[in-house]
Amino acid sequence: MSEHEVPAAWLAVIDKQRVFAEPDSQWFTPGFAEIVGPVRELVAAFRPRVTFTRFVAPDAPAGAWRRYYDQWPFALQPPGAPIYQVVEDFAAEPGPTLDATTFSKWRPELSARVGEGGRLLLAGVSTDCCVLSTAVAAADAGVSVQVVADACAGVNDETHAQALAILRLYEPLIEVTTVADVLRSYHPGAVAL
């Protein structure tokens, strides 16, 4: 690869699931609908190098996760439950889906997809939990990470902004960027909507 060539990138769309999309859900993320368009642009640009992730409950919570699910008992449902399904906007997307019972989705499967020397782009929800956890874990593993700020949503605007500020502290391991900048870097002919 020449010094001007951009390294291969893999897009992970974090937890675009009904449990975070539906207003009557206890885990509703208000900005979820606003990022459907930006995430769709990224998916189209990076397909087939895209993985969707799903946060799912464990069969039997252990350790501190027991207290977590004591607080959120509604979430103790099997992975096939409607709340854990990827939203309709992305349900028909081809390619792998990675399930995890942890906030971080940086698992051996995602690591293998990104590959050594690759770059991981992150979009999805929530910036202040699963996106943040995944970014830090991947960076710790030595992966170059880009968090696409306008393709992520937090529990609210304030915590979204706070999470992005924390992620910026990890530069140069983690870069906070935008859809337009990503498309310009990886697909110079593409124009963000």
Side-chain angles (χ1 to χ4, degrees), residues 86-99:
V86 172
V87 293
E88 193 171 311
D89 294 294
F90 301 105
E93 279 296 327
T97 299
L98 170 64
D99 290 352

Side-chain angles (χ1 to χ4, degrees), residues 1 5 22 26 38 40 52 60-61 78-79 82 88 97 156 191:
M1 174 177 353
E5 200 172 325
E22 297 175 352
Q26 293 179 52
R40 191 178 285 131
F52 282 82
E88 193 171 311
T97 299
N156 58 51
V191 176

Side-chain angles (χ1 to χ4, degrees), residues 59-177:
D59 292 334
W65 286 105
R66 285 193 292 270
R67 286 192 2 242
Y68 181 82
Y69 286 102
D70 285 347
Q71 182 177 340
W72 305 107
F74 84 94
L76 281 174
Q77 298 185 40
I83 66 168
Y84 287 131
Q85 300 313 302
V86 172
V87 293
E88 193 171 311
D89 294 294
F90 301 105
E93 279 296 327
T97 299
L98 170 64
D99 290 352
T101 59
T102 56
F103 295 144
S104 174
K105 303 311 181 294
W106 185 250
R107 324 264 313 151
E109 302 92 337
L110 188 54
S111 174
R113 291 172 189 153
V114 172
E116 191 172 327
R119 179 175 289 271
L120 177 65
L121 280 80
L122 297 175
V125 296
S126 74
T127 319
D128 38 5
C129 185
C130 294
V131 173
L132 174 74
S133 297
T134 304
V136 172
D140 275 348
V143 172
S144 294
V145 178
Q146 290 181 296
V147 175
V148 188
D150 54 347
C152 293
V155 171
N156 58 51
D157 290 344
E158 182 181 357
T159 60
H160 171 73
Q162 289 170 341
L164 294 175
I166 290 168
L167 288 162
R168 285 183 180 100
L169 296 174
Y170 287 87
E171 289 179 355
L173 298 173
I174 298 172
E175 175 191 357
V176 176
T177 188

Side-chain angles (χ1 to χ4, degrees), residues 172-188:
L173 298 173
I174 298 172
E175 175 191 357
V176 176
T177 188
T178 64
V179 171
D181 284 345
V182 165
L183 294 179
R184 202 170 15 260
S185 295
Y186 293 97
H187 301 282

Side-chain angles (χ1 to χ4, degrees), residues 13 23 47 54 70 95 98 139:
V13 178
R47 191 183 292 122
R54 296 190 318 151
D70 285 347
L98 170 64

